[in-house]
Amino acid sequence: MYVAPSILSADFGKLNDEITAVCEAGADLIHVDVMDGHFVPNLTIGPVVVKSVAKIATKPLDIHLMVDDNTFFTNLFIPLKPKFLSFHIESENHPLRLIDHIRKNGISPGIVLNPHTEISTLKYIIKEVDLVLLMSVNPGFGGQKFIPSIIEKSRELRELIYKTDAKCLIEVDGGVNGLNVAELDEAGVDIVVAGNYVFSSQSYKAAITSLKL
Ligand code: DX5
Ligand code: ZN
């Protein structure tokens, strides 16, 4: 299991130290939540702050857009060269065009599904993306409760990947902790995002290690 700490739960007053600490504690990716106050009822950070995160991080960035205007935000973040750049299927009319645009810029495209969005919506997209991110909370805030039906949904996605011979990774985001990670692993999940669980722990290293099954 790869672990991507979400910096949404970090102490933004000492963001550089927080990034360095999770990188040294074994993070595989740094998960960055970008919210526009429209698609979700919260507002986070833009390219100015993420640029300084990219400078400090020794692990690749995993950018999660939660925005209405995906093309606008994608173009803001392309110059920062994240490993993954993912957007929500619910807010995009032309996902295949945007996936193509992200890939042409040398970045791995990802698609995100809200908890209620069916896996079947991915049928004609799955082979074009490098990552599918399944939300296990309603997006917008850290520290929420894990929605258990995501376990079954992860299995369904694993099945679709197998059937279509797609190559994408499965990432789960929201409410992940040391208690539910085993079930996610068993369901075929490759990457977990963890915000509150990591950043509220006494030892980042112990928390991250407990997620690496
Ligand atoms: C929620 C974000 C998550 C969030 C996860 O909209 O996409 O990445 O920070 O935080 P926890 O692990 O605290 O649920
Ligand atoms: Zn996220």
Side-chain angles (χ1 to χ4, degrees):
M1 184 69 82
Y2 295 110
V3 179
S6 161
I7 61 166
L8 191 59
S9 296
D11 181 343
F12 275 70
K14 48 170 186 165
L15 193 53
N16 282 2
D17 295 346
E18 294 276 70
I19 303 287
T20 304
V22 285
C23 286
E24 285 176 359
D28 298 293
L29 294 160
I30 300 297
H31 186 81
V32 178
D33 291 301
V34 175
M35 307 183 189
D36 67 350
H38 291 272
F39 181 67
V40 288
N42 198 3
L43 200 58
T44 55
I45 52 177
V48 175
V49 174
V50 180
K51 194 174 176 182
S52 79
V53 171
K55 232 187 259 171
I56 294 295
T58 54
K59 303 295 164 68
L61 299 190
D62 171 33
I63 297 184
H64 172 193
L65 299 179
M66 283 159 275
V67 301
D68 273 346
D69 192 338
N70 291 298
T71 301
F72 173 76
F73 280 92
T74 291
N75 288 333
L76 288 183
F77 288 102
I78 278 175
L80 304 184
K81 295 283 170 212
K83 166 73 185 144
F84 297 108
L85 185 51
S86 307
F87 62 90
H88 276 256
I89 187 134
E90 298 87 2
S91 62
E92 183 51 47
N93 288 330
H94 306 289
L96 291 175
R97 179 187 291 154
L98 188 55
I99 287 164
D100 195 41
H101 178 59
I102 294 170
R103 195 180 291 289
K104 279 192 175 132
N105 280 280
I107 296 164
S108 289
I111 196 89
V112 193
L113 267 57
N114 272 333
H116 71 280
T117 304
E118 295 271 359
I119 291 295
S120 58
T121 61
L122 295 174
K123 188 175 172 191
Y124 299 103
I125 294 181
I126 192 94
K127 293 191 86 153
E128 311 304 324
V129 291
D130 292 346
L131 178 75
V132 176
L133 198 177
L134 298 179
M135 289 308 302
S136 41
V137 297
N138 290 296
F141 304 94
Q144 301 183 81
K145 202 170 161 289
F146 182 80
I147 298 172
S149 60
I150 302 308
I151 303 282
E152 188 192 326
K153 196 173 177 182
S154 302
R155 279 198 206 102
E156 205 186 320
L157 175 57
R158 179 53 65 203
E159 181 86 11
L160 179 68
I161 292 172
Y162 179 71
K163 268 198 216 145
T164 56
D165 198 26
K167 301 283 177 267
C168 64
L169 296 168
I170 303 178
E171 182 175 35
V172 167
D173 182 6
V176 173
N177 57 43
L179 296 175
N180 53 29
V181 69
E183 268 190 298
L184 291 167
D185 182 53
E186 189 259 331
V189 173
D190 303 293
I191 309 171
V192 284
V193 175
N196 198 51
Y197 180 69
V198 169
F199 285 100
S200 69
S201 69
Q202 292 300 313
S203 160
Y204 295 172
K205 194 178 170 96
I208 290 171
T209 305
S210 74
L211 298 174
K212 290 201 169 192
L213 301 178

